[in-house]
Amino acid sequence: MRKLIIAIASLFIATSSIAAKANKELKKALIVTVKAQPGKGDEALKYLAGLDPLKIVEKEKATRTWYFVRLDKDTFYVFDTFKTDEDRTKHIEGEIPKAVAAKPDLFLPLEVKKVDVILSAVPK
């Protein structure tokens, strides 16, 4: 979790040269740990890429931002934001989590953490 927080902070630092305004709409978020079975990270990533997750997320109008990052060979994180708890719940019940759950040979169970957004900024 510490590494995830550092990764997210790095995203903000990387964009700190951009003038930003506070974003008061995004109140809810998810931090999802996606772990591949040991030694199957590349295979899991190929499977996920085959789902075309950007198209899936694009269809989910309630998902405001979506990030997919890799921590190590077998561990990935998803960080996404929403306006409401209902929007967040729709996303948790969506296509991608179902597709991951359908492949227990590739993935360990998802670790889903519902979090509240305290502060966020977007470029002006």
PDB file of all heavy atoms in Angstrom, residues 81-115:
ATOM      1  N   THR A  81     -12.082   6.902 -10.076  1.00  0.00           N
ATOM      2  CA  THR A  81     -12.864   7.855  -9.297  1.00  0.00           C
ATOM      3  C   THR A  81     -14.284   7.967  -9.840  1.00  0.00           C
ATOM      4  O   THR A  81     -14.541   7.722 -11.027  1.00  0.00           O
ATOM      5  CB  THR A  81     -12.211   9.250  -9.300  1.00  0.00           C
ATOM      6  OG1 THR A  81     -12.083   9.702 -10.645  1.00  0.00           O
ATOM      7  CG2 THR A  81     -10.860   9.225  -8.624  1.00  0.00           C
ATOM      8  N   PHE A  82     -15.180   8.402  -8.924  1.00  0.00           N
ATOM      9  CA  PHE A  82     -16.601   8.470  -9.224  1.00  0.00           C
ATOM     10  C   PHE A  82     -17.226   9.639  -8.468  1.00  0.00           C
ATOM     11  O   PHE A  82     -16.690  10.088  -7.467  1.00  0.00           O
ATOM     12  CB  PHE A  82     -17.294   7.171  -8.767  1.00  0.00           C
ATOM     13  CG  PHE A  82     -16.577   5.942  -9.220  1.00  0.00           C
ATOM     14  CD1 PHE A  82     -15.573   5.381  -8.444  1.00  0.00           C
ATOM     15  CD2 PHE A  82     -16.870   5.359 -10.433  1.00  0.00           C
ATOM     16  CE1 PHE A  82     -14.881   4.267  -8.856  1.00  0.00           C
ATOM     17  CE2 PHE A  82     -16.187   4.232 -10.863  1.00  0.00           C
ATOM     18  CZ  PHE A  82     -15.184   3.687 -10.069  1.00  0.00           C
ATOM     19  N   LYS A  83     -18.386  10.075  -8.936  1.00  0.00           N
ATOM     20  CA  LYS A  83     -19.100  11.146  -8.244  1.00  0.00           C
ATOM     21  C   LYS A  83     -19.879  10.622  -7.046  1.00  0.00           C
ATOM     22  O   LYS A  83     -19.994  11.311  -6.039  1.00  0.00           O
ATOM     23  CB  LYS A  83     -20.063  11.855  -9.202  1.00  0.00           C
ATOM     24  CG  LYS A  83     -19.380  12.711 -10.235  1.00  0.00           C
ATOM     25  CD  LYS A  83     -20.407  13.429 -11.083  1.00  0.00           C
ATOM     26  CE  LYS A  83     -19.755  14.333 -12.095  1.00  0.00           C
ATOM     27  NZ  LYS A  83     -20.749  15.059 -12.910  1.00  0.00           N
ATOM     28  N   THR A  84     -20.437   9.428  -7.166  1.00  0.00           N
ATOM     29  CA  THR A  84     -21.312   8.915  -6.109  1.00  0.00           C
ATOM     30  C   THR A  84     -20.954   7.474  -5.747  1.00  0.00           C
ATOM     31  O   THR A  84     -20.283   6.774  -6.510  1.00  0.00           O
ATOM     32  CB  THR A  84     -22.787   8.935  -6.550  1.00  0.00           C
ATOM     33  OG1 THR A  84     -22.965   7.975  -7.601  1.00  0.00           O
ATOM     34  CG2 THR A  84     -23.229  10.314  -7.015  1.00  0.00           C
ATOM     35  N   ASP A  85     -21.454   7.044  -4.615  1.00  0.00           N
ATOM     36  CA  ASP A  85     -21.253   5.661  -4.193  1.00  0.00           C
ATOM     37  C   ASP A  85     -21.972   4.699  -5.140  1.00  0.00           C
ATOM     38  O   ASP A  85     -21.490   3.603  -5.412  1.00  0.00           O
ATOM     39  CB  ASP A  85     -21.746   5.477  -2.759  1.00  0.00           C
ATOM     40  CG  ASP A  85     -21.273   4.171  -2.162  1.00  0.00           C
ATOM     41  OD1 ASP A  85     -20.078   3.834  -2.340  1.00  0.00           O
ATOM     42  OD2 ASP A  85     -22.082   3.473  -1.529  1.00  0.00           O
ATOM     43  N   GLU A  86     -23.122   5.101  -5.661  1.00  0.00           N
ATOM     44  CA  GLU A  86     -23.862   4.267  -6.607  1.00  0.00           C
ATOM     45  C   GLU A  86     -23.037   4.033  -7.875  1.00  0.00           C
ATOM     46  O   GLU A  86     -23.006   2.918  -8.412  1.00  0.00           O
ATOM     47  CB  GLU A  86     -25.206   4.911  -6.972  1.00  0.00           C
ATOM     48  CG  GLU A  86     -26.194   4.976  -5.823  1.00  0.00           C
ATOM     49  CD  GLU A  86     -25.922   6.125  -4.847  1.00  0.00           C
ATOM     50  OE1 GLU A  86     -25.222   7.110  -5.199  1.00  0.00           O
ATOM     51  OE2 GLU A  86     -26.388   6.030  -3.697  1.00  0.00           O
ATOM     52  N   ASP A  87     -22.368   5.080  -8.355  1.00  0.00           N
ATOM     53  CA  ASP A  87     -21.513   4.949  -9.539  1.00  0.00           C
ATOM     54  C   ASP A  87     -20.378   3.973  -9.268  1.00  0.00           C
ATOM     55  O   ASP A  87     -20.041   3.128 -10.111  1.00  0.00           O
ATOM     56  CB  ASP A  87     -20.923   6.308  -9.930  1.00  0.00           C
ATOM     57  CG  ASP A  87     -21.970   7.290 -10.415  1.00  0.00           C
ATOM     58  OD1 ASP A  87     -23.088   6.869 -10.778  1.00  0.00           O
ATOM     59  OD2 ASP A  87     -21.672   8.501 -10.432  1.00  0.00           O
ATOM     60  N   ARG A  88     -19.797   4.076  -8.097  1.00  0.00           N
ATOM     61  CA  ARG A  88     -18.691   3.202  -7.715  1.00  0.00           C
ATOM     62  C   ARG A  88     -19.160   1.746  -7.660  1.00  0.00           C
ATOM     63  O   ARG A  88     -18.484   0.847  -8.156  1.00  0.00           O
ATOM     64  CB  ARG A  88     -18.132   3.664  -6.366  1.00  0.00           C
ATOM     65  CG  ARG A  88     -17.003   2.820  -5.844  1.00  0.00           C
ATOM     66  CD  ARG A  88     -16.342   3.437  -4.637  1.00  0.00           C
ATOM     67  NE  ARG A  88     -17.252   3.639  -3.515  1.00  0.00           N
ATOM     68  CZ  ARG A  88     -16.908   4.290  -2.411  1.00  0.00           C
ATOM     69  NH1 ARG A  88     -15.703   4.803  -2.276  1.00  0.00           N
ATOM     70  NH2 ARG A  88     -17.777   4.444  -1.439  1.00  0.00           N
ATOM     71  N   THR A  89     -20.328   1.522  -7.099  1.00  0.00           N
ATOM     72  CA  THR A  89     -20.871   0.167  -6.997  1.00  0.00           C
ATOM     73  C   THR A  89     -21.118  -0.432  -8.375  1.00  0.00           C
ATOM     74  O   THR A  89     -20.815  -1.609  -8.615  1.00  0.00           O
ATOM     75  CB  THR A  89     -22.168   0.169  -6.161  1.00  0.00           C
ATOM     76  OG1 THR A  89     -21.848   0.644  -4.852  1.00  0.00           O
ATOM     77  CG2 THR A  89     -22.782  -1.212  -6.073  1.00  0.00           C
ATOM     78  N   LYS A  90     -21.639   0.366  -9.304  1.00  0.00           N
ATOM     79  CA  LYS A  90     -21.855  -0.120 -10.675  1.00  0.00           C
ATOM     80  C   LYS A  90     -20.541  -0.600 -11.284  1.00  0.00           C
ATOM     81  O   LYS A  90     -20.491  -1.620 -11.973  1.00  0.00           O
ATOM     82  CB  LYS A  90     -22.441   0.992 -11.555  1.00  0.00           C
ATOM     83  CG  LYS A  90     -23.881   1.288 -11.309  1.00  0.00           C
ATOM     84  CD  LYS A  90     -24.326   2.410 -12.237  1.00  0.00           C
ATOM     85  CE  LYS A  90     -25.642   2.990 -11.817  1.00  0.00           C
ATOM     86  NZ  LYS A  90     -26.019   4.171 -12.610  1.00  0.00           N
ATOM     87  N   HIS A  91     -19.483   0.146 -11.038  1.00  0.00           N
ATOM     88  CA  HIS A  91     -18.183  -0.212 -11.602  1.00  0.00           C
ATOM     89  C   HIS A  91     -17.659  -1.516 -11.001  1.00  0.00           C
ATOM     90  O   HIS A  91     -17.148  -2.370 -11.720  1.00  0.00           O
ATOM     91  CB  HIS A  91     -17.180   0.921 -11.368  1.00  0.00           C
ATOM     92  CG  HIS A  91     -15.842   0.674 -11.956  1.00  0.00           C
ATOM     93  ND1 HIS A  91     -15.609   0.699 -13.320  1.00  0.00           N
ATOM     94  CD2 HIS A  91     -14.650   0.373 -11.386  1.00  0.00           C
ATOM     95  CE1 HIS A  91     -14.334   0.439 -13.543  1.00  0.00           C
ATOM     96  NE2 HIS A  91     -13.729   0.232 -12.381  1.00  0.00           N
ATOM     97  N   ILE A  92     -17.801  -1.680  -9.689  1.00  0.00           N
ATOM     98  CA  ILE A  92     -17.337  -2.899  -9.018  1.00  0.00           C
ATOM     99  C   ILE A  92     -18.050  -4.124  -9.591  1.00  0.00           C
ATOM    100  O   ILE A  92     -17.483  -5.206  -9.658  1.00  0.00           O
ATOM    101  CB  ILE A  92     -17.573  -2.809  -7.491  1.00  0.00           C
ATOM    102  CG1 ILE A  92     -16.688  -1.728  -6.884  1.00  0.00           C
ATOM    103  CG2 ILE A  92     -17.304  -4.149  -6.816  1.00  0.00           C
ATOM    104  CD1 ILE A  92     -17.027  -1.420  -5.443  1.00  0.00           C
ATOM    105  N   GLU A  93     -19.290  -3.937  -9.998  1.00  0.00           N
ATOM    106  CA  GLU A  93     -20.091  -5.040 -10.525  1.00  0.00           C
ATOM    107  C   GLU A  93     -19.973  -5.172 -12.049  1.00  0.00           C
ATOM    108  O   GLU A  93     -20.705  -5.934 -12.668  1.00  0.00           O
ATOM    109  CB  GLU A  93     -21.556  -4.835 -10.131  1.00  0.00           C
ATOM    110  CG  GLU A  93     -21.767  -4.853  -8.631  1.00  0.00           C
ATOM    111  CD  GLU A  93     -23.149  -4.406  -8.194  1.00  0.00           C
ATOM    112  OE1 GLU A  93     -23.934  -3.914  -9.040  1.00  0.00           O
ATOM    113  OE2 GLU A  93     -23.449  -4.544  -7.003  1.00  0.00           O
ATOM    114  N   GLY A  94     -19.020  -4.452 -12.650  1.00  0.00           N
ATOM    115  CA  GLY A  94     -18.893  -4.393 -14.095  1.00  0.00           C
ATOM    116  C   GLY A  94     -18.145  -5.543 -14.738  1.00  0.00           C
ATOM    117  O   GLY A  94     -17.790  -6.543 -14.108  1.00  0.00           O
ATOM    118  N   GLU A  95     -17.878  -5.368 -16.027  1.00  0.00           N
ATOM    119  CA  GLU A  95     -17.275  -6.402 -16.868  1.00  0.00           C
ATOM    120  C   GLU A  95     -15.866  -6.817 -16.438  1.00  0.00           C
ATOM    121  O   GLU A  95     -15.548  -8.005 -16.451  1.00  0.00           O
ATOM    122  CB  GLU A  95     -17.206  -5.916 -18.320  1.00  0.00           C
ATOM    123  CG  GLU A  95     -18.519  -5.829 -19.029  1.00  0.00           C
ATOM    124  CD  GLU A  95     -18.337  -5.365 -20.468  1.00  0.00           C
ATOM    125  OE1 GLU A  95     -17.536  -5.979 -21.205  1.00  0.00           O
ATOM    126  OE2 GLU A  95     -19.007  -4.384 -20.839  1.00  0.00           O
ATOM    127  N   ILE A  96     -15.035  -5.871 -16.118  1.00  0.00           N
ATOM    128  CA  ILE A  96     -13.636  -6.196 -15.823  1.00  0.00           C
ATOM    129  C   ILE A  96     -13.506  -7.042 -14.558  1.00  0.00           C
ATOM    130  O   ILE A  96     -12.852  -8.087 -14.597  1.00  0.00           O
ATOM    131  CB  ILE A  96     -12.758  -4.926 -15.786  1.00  0.00           C
ATOM    132  CG1 ILE A  96     -12.751  -4.257 -17.167  1.00  0.00           C
ATOM    133  CG2 ILE A  96     -11.324  -5.278 -15.364  1.00  0.00           C
ATOM    134  CD1 ILE A  96     -12.097  -2.895 -17.205  1.00  0.00           C
ATOM    135  N   PRO A  97     -14.124  -6.649 -13.431  1.00  0.00           N
ATOM    136  CA  PRO A  97     -14.027  -7.521 -12.253  1.00  0.00           C
ATOM    137  C   PRO A  97     -14.575  -8.928 -12.502  1.00  0.00           C
ATOM    138  O   PRO A  97     -14.017  -9.915 -12.026  1.00  0.00           O
ATOM    139  CB  PRO A  97     -14.842  -6.787 -11.187  1.00  0.00           C
ATOM    140  CG  PRO A  97     -14.785  -5.356 -11.606  1.00  0.00           C
ATOM    141  CD  PRO A  97     -14.801  -5.393 -13.114  1.00  0.00           C
ATOM    142  N   LYS A  98     -15.651  -9.018 -13.274  1.00  0.00           N
ATOM    143  CA  LYS A  98     -16.217 -10.330 -13.598  1.00  0.00           C
ATOM    144  C   LYS A  98     -15.246 -11.152 -14.434  1.00  0.00           C
ATOM    145  O   LYS A  98     -15.102 -12.362 -14.235  1.00  0.00           O
ATOM    146  CB  LYS A  98     -17.550 -10.168 -14.324  1.00  0.00           C
ATOM    147  CG  LYS A  98     -18.670  -9.695 -13.428  1.00  0.00           C
ATOM    148  CD  LYS A  98     -19.960  -9.499 -14.210  1.00  0.00           C
ATOM    149  CE  LYS A  98     -21.050  -8.937 -13.319  1.00  0.00           C
ATOM    150  NZ  LYS A  98     -22.265  -8.616 -14.065  1.00  0.00           N
ATOM    151  N   ALA A  99     -14.566 -10.506 -15.371  1.00  0.00           N
ATOM    152  CA  ALA A  99     -13.611 -11.209 -16.226  1.00  0.00           C
ATOM    153  C   ALA A  99     -12.405 -11.711 -15.434  1.00  0.00           C
ATOM    154  O   ALA A  99     -11.893 -12.802 -15.694  1.00  0.00           O
ATOM    155  CB  ALA A  99     -13.159 -10.293 -17.368  1.00  0.00           C
ATOM    156  N   VAL A 100     -11.972 -10.922 -14.459  1.00  0.00           N
ATOM    157  CA  VAL A 100     -10.857 -11.353 -13.596  1.00  0.00           C
ATOM    158  C   VAL A 100     -11.296 -12.530 -12.727  1.00  0.00           C
ATOM    159  O   VAL A 100     -10.587 -13.536 -12.612  1.00  0.00           O
ATOM    160  CB  VAL A 100     -10.346 -10.174 -12.732  1.00  0.00           C
ATOM    161  CG1 VAL A 100      -9.367 -10.657 -11.676  1.00  0.00           C
ATOM    162  CG2 VAL A 100      -9.684  -9.123 -13.623  1.00  0.00           C
ATOM    163  N   ALA A 101     -12.477 -12.439 -12.143  1.00  0.00           N
ATOM    164  CA  ALA A 101     -12.985 -13.514 -11.277  1.00  0.00           C
ATOM    165  C   ALA A 101     -13.180 -14.817 -12.055  1.00  0.00           C
ATOM    166  O   ALA A 101     -13.065 -15.906 -11.490  1.00  0.00           O
ATOM    167  CB  ALA A 101     -14.291 -13.079 -10.631  1.00  0.00           C
ATOM    168  N   ALA A 102     -13.434 -14.703 -13.351  1.00  0.00           N
ATOM    169  CA  ALA A 102     -13.656 -15.886 -14.188  1.00  0.00           C
ATOM    170  C   ALA A 102     -12.363 -16.625 -14.517  1.00  0.00           C
ATOM    171  O   ALA A 102     -12.406 -17.697 -15.132  1.00  0.00           O
ATOM    172  CB  ALA A 102     -14.369 -15.482 -15.477  1.00  0.00           C
ATOM    173  N   LYS A 103     -11.218 -16.081 -14.127  1.00  0.00           N
ATOM    174  CA  LYS A 103      -9.918 -16.683 -14.447  1.00  0.00           C
ATOM    175  C   LYS A 103      -9.100 -16.960 -13.184  1.00  0.00           C
ATOM    176  O   LYS A 103      -8.012 -16.398 -13.001  1.00  0.00           O
ATOM    177  CB  LYS A 103      -9.126 -15.756 -15.383  1.00  0.00           C
ATOM    178  CG  LYS A 103      -9.659 -15.685 -16.787  1.00  0.00           C
ATOM    179  CD  LYS A 103      -9.381 -16.987 -17.473  1.00  0.00           C
ATOM    180  CE  LYS A 103      -9.592 -16.886 -18.962  1.00  0.00           C
ATOM    181  NZ  LYS A 103      -9.199 -18.120 -19.627  1.00  0.00           N
ATOM    182  N   PRO A 104      -9.578 -17.840 -12.312  1.00  0.00           N
ATOM    183  CA  PRO A 104      -8.816 -18.119 -11.083  1.00  0.00           C
ATOM    184  C   PRO A 104      -7.468 -18.788 -11.344  1.00  0.00           C
ATOM    185  O   PRO A 104      -6.597 -18.764 -10.482  1.00  0.00           O
ATOM    186  CB  PRO A 104      -9.758 -19.030 -10.286  1.00  0.00           C
ATOM    187  CG  PRO A 104     -10.636 -19.660 -11.312  1.00  0.00           C
ATOM    188  CD  PRO A 104     -10.792 -18.620 -12.396  1.00  0.00           C
ATOM    189  N   ASP A 105      -7.285 -19.330 -12.547  1.00  0.00           N
ATOM    190  CA  ASP A 105      -5.977 -19.895 -12.899  1.00  0.00           C
ATOM    191  C   ASP A 105      -4.945 -18.804 -13.143  1.00  0.00           C
ATOM    192  O   ASP A 105      -3.745 -19.042 -13.053  1.00  0.00           O
ATOM    193  CB  ASP A 105      -6.098 -20.796 -14.130  1.00  0.00           C
ATOM    194  CG  ASP A 105      -6.662 -20.062 -15.346  1.00  0.00           C
ATOM    195  OD1 ASP A 105      -7.654 -19.304 -15.190  1.00  0.00           O
ATOM    196  OD2 ASP A 105      -6.117 -20.250 -16.453  1.00  0.00           O
ATOM    197  N   LEU A 106      -5.412 -17.577 -13.442  1.00  0.00           N
ATOM    198  CA  LEU A 106      -4.514 -16.445 -13.704  1.00  0.00           C
ATOM    199  C   LEU A 106      -4.445 -15.452 -12.547  1.00  0.00           C
ATOM    200  O   LEU A 106      -3.409 -14.809 -12.348  1.00  0.00           O
ATOM    201  CB  LEU A 106      -4.969 -15.672 -14.949  1.00  0.00           C
ATOM    202  CG  LEU A 106      -4.638 -16.239 -16.304  1.00  0.00           C
ATOM    203  CD1 LEU A 106      -5.163 -15.318 -17.406  1.00  0.00           C
ATOM    204  CD2 LEU A 106      -3.153 -16.449 -16.466  1.00  0.00           C
ATOM    205  N   PHE A 107      -5.557 -15.280 -11.810  1.00  0.00           N
ATOM    206  CA  PHE A 107      -5.647 -14.213 -10.813  1.00  0.00           C
ATOM    207  C   PHE A 107      -6.016 -14.732  -9.432  1.00  0.00           C
ATOM    208  O   PHE A 107      -6.838 -15.643  -9.302  1.00  0.00           O
ATOM    209  CB  PHE A 107      -6.707 -13.184 -11.223  1.00  0.00           C
ATOM    210  CG  PHE A 107      -6.433 -12.498 -12.518  1.00  0.00           C
ATOM    211  CD1 PHE A 107      -7.043 -12.926 -13.685  1.00  0.00           C
ATOM    212  CD2 PHE A 107      -5.565 -11.424 -12.579  1.00  0.00           C
ATOM    213  CE1 PHE A 107      -6.797 -12.296 -14.893  1.00  0.00           C
ATOM    214  CE2 PHE A 107      -5.305 -10.788 -13.778  1.00  0.00           C
ATOM    215  CZ  PHE A 107      -5.919 -11.215 -14.938  1.00  0.00           C
ATOM    216  N   LEU A 108      -5.453 -14.105  -8.429  1.00  0.00           N
ATOM    217  CA  LEU A 108      -5.928 -14.271  -7.062  1.00  0.00           C
ATOM    218  C   LEU A 108      -7.175 -13.402  -6.918  1.00  0.00           C
ATOM    219  O   LEU A 108      -7.414 -12.513  -7.743  1.00  0.00           O
ATOM    220  CB  LEU A 108      -4.846 -13.834  -6.075  1.00  0.00           C
ATOM    221  CG  LEU A 108      -3.544 -14.650  -6.115  1.00  0.00           C
ATOM    222  CD1 LEU A 108      -2.483 -14.001  -5.240  1.00  0.00           C
ATOM    223  CD2 LEU A 108      -3.798 -16.080  -5.691  1.00  0.00           C
ATOM    224  N   PRO A 109      -7.995 -13.615  -5.891  1.00  0.00           N
ATOM    225  CA  PRO A 109      -9.180 -12.751  -5.728  1.00  0.00           C
ATOM    226  C   PRO A 109      -8.790 -11.269  -5.625  1.00  0.00           C
ATOM    227  O   PRO A 109      -7.776 -10.924  -5.021  1.00  0.00           O
ATOM    228  CB  PRO A 109      -9.794 -13.246  -4.416  1.00  0.00           C
ATOM    229  CG  PRO A 109      -9.331 -14.666  -4.302  1.00  0.00           C
ATOM    230  CD  PRO A 109      -7.941 -14.671  -4.892  1.00  0.00           C
ATOM    231  N   LEU A 110      -9.603 -10.424  -6.247  1.00  0.00           N
ATOM    232  CA  LEU A 110      -9.358  -8.983  -6.187  1.00  0.00           C
ATOM    233  C   LEU A 110      -9.461  -8.482  -4.756  1.00  0.00           C
ATOM    234  O   LEU A 110     -10.292  -8.949  -3.981  1.00  0.00           O
ATOM    235  CB  LEU A 110     -10.390  -8.233  -7.036  1.00  0.00           C
ATOM    236  CG  LEU A 110     -10.343  -8.449  -8.534  1.00  0.00           C
ATOM    237  CD1 LEU A 110     -11.524  -7.739  -9.196  1.00  0.00           C
ATOM    238  CD2 LEU A 110      -9.034  -7.951  -9.113  1.00  0.00           C
ATOM    239  N   GLU A 111      -8.614  -7.520  -4.427  1.00  0.00           N
ATOM    240  CA  GLU A 111      -8.701  -6.824  -3.144  1.00  0.00           C
ATOM    241  C   GLU A 111      -9.233  -5.427  -3.441  1.00  0.00           C
ATOM    242  O   GLU A 111      -8.526  -4.594  -4.007  1.00  0.00           O
ATOM    243  CB  GLU A 111      -7.325  -6.744  -2.492  1.00  0.00           C
ATOM    244  CG  GLU A 111      -6.722  -8.089  -2.157  1.00  0.00           C
ATOM    245  CD  GLU A 111      -5.279  -7.980  -1.670  1.00  0.00           C
ATOM    246  OE1 GLU A 111      -4.865  -6.893  -1.209  1.00  0.00           O
ATOM    247  OE2 GLU A 111      -4.564  -8.985  -1.789  1.00  0.00           O
ATOM    248  N   VAL A 112     -10.486  -5.201  -3.087  1.00  0.00           N
ATOM    249  CA  VAL A 112     -11.162  -3.945  -3.417  1.00  0.00           C
ATOM    250  C   VAL A 112     -11.294  -3.094  -2.164  1.00  0.00           C
ATOM    251  O   VAL A 112     -11.851  -3.536  -1.163  1.00  0.00           O
ATOM    252  CB  VAL A 112     -12.557  -4.218  -4.016  1.00  0.00           C
ATOM    253  CG1 VAL A 112     -13.275  -2.909  -4.323  1.00  0.00           C
ATOM    254  CG2 VAL A 112     -12.452  -5.094  -5.261  1.00  0.00           C
ATOM    255  N   LYS A 113     -10.790  -1.869  -2.251  1.00  0.00           N
ATOM    256  CA  LYS A 113     -10.916  -0.920  -1.143  1.00  0.00           C
ATOM    257  C   LYS A 113     -11.715   0.286  -1.632  1.00  0.00           C
ATOM    258  O   LYS A 113     -11.330   0.960  -2.587  1.00  0.00           O
ATOM    259  CB  LYS A 113      -9.546  -0.474  -0.663  1.00  0.00           C
ATOM    260  CG  LYS A 113      -8.757  -1.570   0.027  1.00  0.00           C
ATOM    261  CD  LYS A 113      -7.429  -1.022   0.530  1.00  0.00           C
ATOM    262  CE  LYS A 113      -6.654  -2.055   1.280  1.00  0.00           C
ATOM    263  NZ  LYS A 113      -6.142  -3.137   0.495  1.00  0.00           N
ATOM    264  N   LYS A 114     -12.836   0.540  -0.975  1.00  0.00           N
ATOM    265  CA  LYS A 114     -13.623   1.740  -1.252  1.00  0.00           C
ATOM    266  C   LYS A 114     -13.021   2.872  -0.426  1.00  0.00           C
ATOM    267  O   LYS A 114     -12.849   2.728   0.782  1.00  0.00           O
ATOM    268  CB  LYS A 114     -15.079   1.538  -0.859  1.00  0.00           C
ATOM    269  CG  LYS A 114     -15.802   0.515  -1.689  1.00  0.00           C
ATOM    270  CD  LYS A 114     -17.245   0.418  -1.214  1.00  0.00           C
ATOM    271  CE  LYS A 114     -18.034  -0.560  -2.031  1.00  0.00           C
ATOM    272  NZ  LYS A 114     -19.441  -0.631  -1.597  1.00  0.00           N
ATOM    273  N   VAL A 115     -12.700   3.971  -1.061  1.00  0.00           N
ATOM    274  CA  VAL A 115     -12.110   5.109  -0.359  1.00  0.00           C
ATOM    275  C   VAL A 115     -12.846   6.391  -0.738  1.00  0.00           C
ATOM    276  O   VAL A 115     -13.499   6.464  -1.783  1.00  0.00           O
ATOM    277  CB  VAL A 115     -10.589   5.240  -0.658  1.00  0.00           C
ATOM    278  CG1 VAL A 115      -9.831   4.025  -0.171  1.00  0.00           C
ATOM    279  CG2 VAL A 115     -10.324   5.449  -2.140  1.00  0.00           C
TER     280      VAL A 115
END
